[in-house]
């Protein structure tokens, strides 16, 4: 069929139309030529190559594949082709959304009648070119579509550029708006921060007499209690409210800044509510461009809390120094008390005494025991005490505390104990619990200066896993409460009253340590403290302590029974202590208990005795703090020579933590100790050694 098609007419040598600058800059338009005759394709490419880029296809299928890869300004489509003809190809082109608007020009050598023309136009053709095709006509028609395509693309490019410019402007405007909003928010935040801080910014004239700022920023009323207008109306207000002891110094500092250009002074100032605040007043001289002084700019900062904290820190350091001193002397003091109490026990046991002498001996023993109790209370104050939890019967506790307070409360205050028929037994250190209750009762007395009744009650409580609260773990508790009808505690102070050194009492009438000590004791004992108070009605403080379980009571009972049992067999004991008096007294106590005692003054001497007679000693009793070799290290080296040697460390230190690491299965016996405590410790140590063996 291709051979019957006439050849293309000779192309006229007409020049191609010049391209516009925008077109030249853009990508050239493309023309798709579809014809099954290679000669026609070559001729058309030659005619149109200076108008647009020509893409050729020899079939409808190939043409459709090209259309999938890009855009075209116009399609020159042969009507009659083998396989898919021009009409079918045009129909497919028009059915696709991406290609339906591409102009189609049919190429036809026959069928020039109206029926075929109408069919072509109905298939989407915009024009017909009949073969043989005149080159000028073909190029002219194609150039029209190429120019239209280029103009459309140029419009699209301009629209895109305008849209991009519009988007950029919108983005820039949005960024500017966002920046302005951020700036406003930053200014608002800065103003809010300045308003919330205990600080005032001010501008003050050079010659302000009396002193009166022109401008203030910040919450002036919150800091001073006065409105700025009041300050301006009362020029002498600032000077009149200076603390008498600070006035001369502050006025001199304000005058001196005129020469130095800077000022910094701290002083006390009485606010509108009558309270005194500590202010740190700083200022600097501002100058104009010529260097001439203009005015002072400054800050007035409330440093009252800082001064209070510094004062509390000084107090805390003083208390810490007392604690360190107390802990340091406890060892030596306990050594002395051990010698005194041990010596009194030996005298009472070994010498026949008349009744009058026994009374004197009892008085001496009581005085020494009071000294021991004094050390314990000092250590409790310094928080270095070693807790000895035990089963505490509430009835016995009530009698003990009542006896201790008999001459302390005065005649205006009465203590009423409310204990049920079956009170539970607390498991805690009895001496420390007595001290805690005494602190609470004395606090209650101080809250009722006109007298009243203090109620001390005992109650059994159980905390279940579903109702566990705060620092209380599930379990059984004994709750001891102390209630008064005094002035009460303000709600905003409830959380503070347990802080160290916080007190609502007047200066010199309290350390602020009472409730802090009670809180620390309760926490150490596995319990908690609860406070409820109403201003004008009174305060109730509860101490929650673990309830002694049956197993605990049984163990305590067994321990007491074991302590009461006499020694079955005498022991060969090696006693080591660098204090001559304590060593002699302890040796005497051990001898009175029926044991054979060998003594040594330090660790090396004891090791030499063990080396000489390694298996002659049944028990090693050693002081902890000794020169050359500590008690713990002595026991460690002794067991290298005699494995499993039972051992006891006796110490005058306040707590077991002071001893540090020690070998396993070593009992601790604190000085001063009674003969019964010594015997009980010996029995427990020997029995434990037998159980291990």
């Amino acid at each position: 069929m291709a051979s019957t098609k006439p050849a293309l007419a000779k192309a006229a040598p007409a020049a191609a139309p010049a391209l516009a600058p925008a077109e030249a800059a853009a990508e050239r338009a493309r023309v798709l030529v579809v014809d099954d005759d290679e000669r026609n394709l070559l001729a058309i490419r030659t005619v149109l190559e200076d108008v647009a880029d020509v893409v050729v296809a020899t079939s409808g299928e190939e043409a459709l594949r090209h259309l999938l890869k890009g855009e075209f300004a116009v399609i020159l489509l042969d009507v009659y082709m083998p396989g898919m003809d021009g009409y079918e190809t045009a129909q497919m082109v028009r059915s696709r959304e991406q290609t339906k608007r591409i102009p189609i020009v049919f190429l036809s050598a026959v069928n020039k009648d109206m029926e075929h023309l109408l069919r072509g136009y109905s298939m989407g053709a915009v024009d017909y070119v009949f073969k043989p095709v005149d080159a000028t006509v073909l190029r002219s028609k194609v150039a029209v579509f190429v120019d239209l395509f280029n103009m459309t693309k140029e419009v699209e490019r301009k629209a895109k550029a305008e849209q991009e410019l519009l988007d950029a402007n919108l983005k820039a405007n949005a960024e500017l708006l966002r920046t302005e909003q951020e700036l406003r928010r930053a200014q608002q935040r800065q103003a809010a921060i300045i308003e919330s801080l205990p600080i005032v910014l001010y501008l003050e004239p050079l010659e302000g007499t009396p002193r009166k700022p022109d401008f203030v920023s910040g919450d002036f009323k919150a800091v001073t209690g006065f409105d700025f207008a009041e300050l301006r109306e009362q020029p002498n207000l600032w000077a009149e409210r200076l603390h008498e002891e600070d006035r001369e110094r502050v006025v001199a500092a304000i005058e001196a800044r005129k020469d130095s250009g800077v000022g910094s002074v701290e002083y006390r100032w009485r606010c509108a509510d009558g309270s005194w605040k500590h202010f740190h007043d700083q200022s600097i001289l501002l100058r104009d461009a010529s260097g001439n002084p203009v005015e002072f700019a400054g800050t007035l900062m409330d440093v009252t809390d800082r001064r209070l904290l510094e004062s509390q820190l000084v107090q805390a350091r003083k208390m810490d120094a007392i604690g360190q001193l107390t802990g340091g002397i406890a060892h030596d003091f306990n050594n002395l008390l051990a010698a005194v109490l041990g010596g009194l026990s030996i005298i009472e046991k070994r010498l026949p005494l008349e009744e009058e002498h026994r009374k004197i001996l009892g008085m001496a023993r009581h005085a020494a025991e009071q000294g021991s109790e004094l050390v314990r209370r000092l250590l409790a104050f310094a928080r270095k005490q070693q807790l000895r939890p035990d089963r505490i019967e509430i009835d016995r506790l009530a009698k003990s505390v009542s006896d201790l307070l008999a001459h302390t409360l005065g005649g205006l205050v009465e203590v009423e104990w409310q204990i049920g028929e079956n009170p539970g037994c607390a498991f805690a250190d009895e001496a420390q619990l007595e001290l805690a209750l005494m602190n609470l009762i004395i606090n209650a007395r101080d809250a009722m200066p006109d007298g009243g009744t203090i109620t001390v009650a005992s109650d059994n409580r159980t905390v279940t896993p579903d109702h566990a609260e705060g620092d209380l773990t599930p379990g059984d508790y004994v709750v001891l409460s102390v209630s008064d009808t005094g002035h009460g505690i303000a709600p905003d102070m409830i959380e503070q009253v347990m802080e160290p050194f916080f007190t609502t009492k007047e200066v010199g009438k309290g350390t602020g340590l009472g409730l802090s000590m009670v809180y620390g004791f309760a926490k150490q004992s596995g319990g908690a403290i609860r406070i409820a108070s109403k201003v004008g009605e009174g305060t109730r403080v509860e101490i929650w302590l673990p309830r002694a379980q049956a197993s605990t009571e049984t163990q305590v009972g067994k321990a007491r029974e074991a302590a009461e049992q006499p020694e079955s067999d005498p022991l060969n004991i090696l006693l080591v202590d660098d204090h001559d008096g304590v060593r002699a007294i302890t040796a005497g106590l051990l001898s009175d208990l029926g044991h054979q005692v060998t003594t040594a003054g330090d660790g090396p001497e004891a090791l030499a005795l063990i080396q000489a007679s390694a298996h002659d000693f049944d028990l090693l009793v050693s002081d902890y703090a000794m020169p050359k070799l500590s008690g713990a290290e002595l026991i460690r080296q002794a067991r290298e020579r005699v494995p499993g040697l039972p051992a006891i460390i006796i110490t005058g230190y306040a707590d077991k933590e002071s001893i540090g690491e020690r070998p396993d299965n070593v009992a601790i016996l604190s000085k001063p100790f009674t003969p019964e405590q010594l015997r009980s410790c010996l029995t427990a140590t020997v029995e434990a050694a037998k159980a291990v063996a």
Side-chain angles (χ1 to χ4, degrees), residues 259-517:
D259 298 325
S260 64
V262 294
S264 179
V265 63
E266 192 171 311
Y267 52 84
R268 289 163 289 179
W269 200 81
R270 185 160 54 89
C271 299
D273 61 359
S275 64
W276 291 95
K277 286 188 176 180
H278 288 261
F279 288 151
H280 188 194
D281 194 339
Q282 294 179 292
S283 56
I284 187 171
L285 182 62
L286 301 181
R287 301 179 182 274
D288 59 18
S290 302
N292 299 316
V294 178
E295 60 187 349
F296 285 102
T299 60
L300 186 71
M301 182 180 296
D302 181 3
V303 295
T304 307
D305 290 341
R306 188 175 71 187
R307 284 285 164 260
L308 179 60
L309 289 174
E310 288 175 354
S311 175
Q312 291 179 347
L313 179 59
V314 170
Q315 182 71 3
R317 286 175 175 171
K318 287 164 61 178
M319 294 300 101
D320 184 62
I322 292 174
Q324 294 292 337
L325 178 62
T326 303
I329 67 174
H331 175 262
D332 294 334
F333 197 40
N334 282 333
N335 271 340
L336 297 175
L337 290 173
V340 171
L341 287 172
L344 292 175
S345 297
I346 292 175
I347 291 173
E348 186 177 31
K349 187 171 184 180
R350 293 186 179 183
L351 298 178
L353 299 174
E354 297 179 3
E355 186 62 28
E356 182 180 356
H357 297 157
R358 289 188 179 277
K359 287 182 180 180
I360 296 174
L361 196 66
M363 292 171 61
R365 178 183 289 107
H366 181 68
E369 289 172 349
Q370 283 185 321
S372 176
E373 182 62 24
L374 176 61
V375 172
R376 291 189 64 196
R377 292 185 183 277
L378 286 173
L379 292 173
F381 177 77
R383 295 206 177 191
K384 293 179 175 291
Q385 79 276 18
Q386 177 184 339
L387 296 182
R388 297 184 178 90
D390 202 346
R391 178 174 178 268
I392 302 174
E393 296 176 359
I394 303 302
D395 291 332
R396 189 177 76 245
L397 176 70
K399 183 178 184 307
S400 175
V401 173
S402 297
D403 292 341
L404 290 170
L405 293 172
H407 304 290
T408 303
L409 296 179
L412 296 178
V413 175
E414 179 184 356
V415 178
E416 178 183 334
W417 291 83
Q418 295 180 355
I419 302 173
E421 294 182 359
N422 297 307
C425 293
F427 186 70
D429 187 303
E430 186 167 1
Q432 296 307 314
L433 179 54
E434 289 176 2
L435 181 61
L437 285 175
M438 288 174 60
N439 272 317
L440 295 180
I441 293 172
I442 291 173
N443 279 351
R445 178 204 63 184
D446 294 341
M448 300 185 298
D450 298 327
T453 301
I454 300 172
T455 304
V456 184
S458 172
D459 191 15
N460 297 328
R461 306 272 184 89
T462 298
V463 177
T464 62
D466 296 336
H467 296 84
E469 55 176 288
D471 46 3
L472 284 174
T473 58
D476 296 325
Y477 293 88
V478 172
V479 180
L480 295 167
S481 62
V482 178
S483 306
D484 64 62
T485 55
H487 47 66
I489 304 171
D492 57 341
M493 292 185 178
I494 290 290
E495 294 297 329
Q496 294 178 272
V497 294
M498 287 185 288
E499 296 176 2
F501 311 112
F502 180 86
T503 179
T504 58
K505 300 176 184 178
E506 298 177 10
V507 177
K509 292 189 177 181
T511 63
L513 287 169
L515 277 175
S516 175
M517 292 169 64

